[in-house]
Structure formats: C-alpha cells, structure tokens
Amino acid sequence: RSFNEDLARIRATREALGPDLNLMVDANTSLSSRVAMRYAEAIEPLDPRWFEEPTQPEDVEGCADLARRTRIPVAGFETATGRAAFARLIDAGAVQVAQFDLVQVGGITEGRKIAAYAQMRHLAVTTGAITKRLDRLVARGLVTRRVGADDARTRTVTLTDAGARLT
C-alpha cells in the first residue's frame, strides 16, 4: 500500500474508534527512520497511544531520533532478542514503551529482567500477545482484532478496503 492509502486506513480506524478508545499504529519494523518520521508527523493529530516498531530494531540511532522528534510514544521491539538489545534501545531513548515477545527474548525470566530495567527508567512495559500469523490476517482484513480489552469498553474494529467498522 502507498503512504496515502495507509494514512486513509489509519484515519478511518480513528474515526471508527472515536476519541475515547486507544489507537495504536504498528509499522512492523518496515520503515526507514526518515519514512517513519513522515508517518509520525501525519498521524500525530490522530492522537495514537503509540507508534509500534516504526524502524528496524537495529536502527537504534534512527529510532531514538524519531522518538525525540515526535510526541507519539514509540513502542518496541517484539523482534528484539534479549535484555542487551532492550538495554541499547532503552538507554538510547529509542522506546517509551518496552514491548517484548517472551519467546523472542528467551522466556519469562529474561522478560522480567527487561521489564525491571524499563521500569527503573519509568517506561511503560507490555508484551506482544498476538501471534504474527494473526497480525497478518488482521492486516489483510480476513479477521478482526479486539481492541480496548483492558476495560469494559471493548470493541471490534474490522478493516477493509472500504474503511473501518466498529462493532
């Protein structure tokens, strides 16, 4: 999809969610830091809760530069492996939300160490709970994803080429 098509889908999703539910935008480590900045500038008025994995996790400097330039918290990186990788991201200021995959980092013990390191720096912590296969199905509009599951306002957003529908 093109930049403009992506923005149209993100705007449609925000419209379907309304202002009171969280919108999280995930780039799946697919953007250069320059392109990620372009997206961040465009989506900032939509008040996303976070911009997830906007760059490759190895591009620590580029992601840190993005994090300094945008008001959107950067979340990541489910693809990072282990506490050393997260320490580099956290120490550089590349993430404001430490988001790790327990399998990818080596299990619960390693995840707890990453969480403790992030919390010592007053960062939010979350884990990636939905498999990559399900994410691909959601992106293709073949299934829906539940949003807002942490409270009573849970809704389902269905994304299609025609836009977004909230049920």
Side-chain angles (χ1 to χ4, degrees), residues 134 138 141-146 156-159 165:
L134 180 56
V138 169
L142 299 176
V143 297
T144 58
R145 173 181 282 177
R146 306 282 295 171
T156 300
V157 175
T158 304
L159 293 174
R165 185 179 76 250

Side-chain angles (χ1 to χ4, degrees), residues 9-10 19 24 47 97 101-102 105 107 119 122 126 161 165:
R9 289 172 63 89
I10 295 167
M24 286 81 96
D47 193 29
V97 180
D101 180 301
L102 285 173
V105 298
Q119 289 172 336
H122 310 287
T126 187
D161 288 336
R165 185 179 76 250

